[in-house]
Amino acid sequence: MTQLSAGLALYGASAALLVRGGLGLEPWGVLHQGLAELTGLTMGVVSIIVGAVVLLLWIPIRQRPGPGTVANVFVVGVAMDATLALVPDAHGPLARIALLIAGIVLNGVATGLYIAARFGPGPRDGLMTGLHRLTGRSVRLVRTAIEVAVVATGFALGGSVGIGTVAYALAIGPLAQLFLRVFAIPAADGGSTPVAAGTPAGAILRR
């Protein structure tokens, strides 16, 4: 539970660092920012609402949430808003690049922490794996289709797309794979569960 909580809080904080860097957000962050611009709500509140809506989409595709799934909806959004309140916008290219790198790396650490805790995937990851199972399409194709759709929608609403969006897409897979192994929780028999091979960990890595 400690690992799960730390991972979710760090995920929200890392997403906020990408916002403050101003060089482009991760795909779902683009959508959250666009909706925040449209509604006047904070990005954290929008993240919670979107997470809850996505979780409802699990019902027709027969996905089962775990405690980590529900915690993901709320903790990430709260941590994001808290970090945005504490960290000011970056000024100057060096500061922006530093926040971009920190946000991407910490997002990889967070992904490894909360998925390796094995309390259930996040709502967005579960949607991806559920559609993969339902349609028979590859995880890579399903993930790409979802992320292209959310980026396009978020960008149309005013979300930030830039070099950071591309850098995130290229780096998050290898980083997640690394930190899933670092934070893998030993199995009860003393062995280590190969988290990089199963769902949802494998779904995260097969980008």
Side-chain angles (χ1 to χ4, degrees):
M1 286 300 296
T2 300
Q3 180 168 319
L4 171 68
S5 300
L8 294 179
L10 187 58
Y11 196 100
S14 65
L17 294 182
L18 294 176
V19 174
R20 292 304 188 214
L23 294 175
L25 307 180
E26 85 282 2
W28 285 95
V30 177
L31 178 62
H32 297 157
Q33 189 179 55
L35 288 171
E37 292 285 339
L38 179 67
T39 62
L41 300 173
T42 67
M43 282 190 67
V45 170
V46 170
S47 173
I48 292 171
I49 294 171
V50 170
V53 171
V54 171
L55 191 55
L56 290 176
L57 295 177
W58 283 31
I59 297 174
I61 60 176
R62 298 182 180 180
Q63 286 283 94
R64 291 184 178 182
T69 307
V70 179
N72 185 295
V73 173
F74 297 99
V75 175
V76 171
V78 171
M80 184 186 302
D81 273 351
T83 306
L84 288 171
L86 294 172
V87 179
D89 287 329
H91 298 287
L94 291 181
R96 290 188 171 195
I97 291 171
L99 282 180
L100 171 65
I101 294 173
I104 292 174
V105 173
L106 292 177
N107 196 275
V109 174
T111 300
L113 279 168
Y114 90 79
I115 291 181
R118 299 200 301 263
F119 277 99
R124 298 154 184 84
D125 295 327
L127 176 65
M128 173 184 60
T129 55
L131 289 174
H132 156 66
R133 177 178 50 80
L134 188 67
T135 65
R137 303 293 184 179
S138 70
V139 171
R140 184 188 299 272
L141 177 61
V142 172
R143 184 181 185 113
T144 299
I146 292 173
E147 293 190 349
V148 167
V150 299
V151 167
T153 303
F155 181 70
L157 294 173
S160 175
V161 176
I163 187 64
T165 309
V166 177
Y168 180 92
L170 293 175
I172 193 60
L175 286 171
Q177 183 172 19
L178 169 63
F179 289 110
L180 279 164
R181 290 169 178 163
V182 169
F183 297 116
I185 297 175
D189 61 0
S192 179
T193 302
V195 295
T199 301
I204 290 287
L205 305 183
R206 292 190 293 271
R207 296 186 64 85

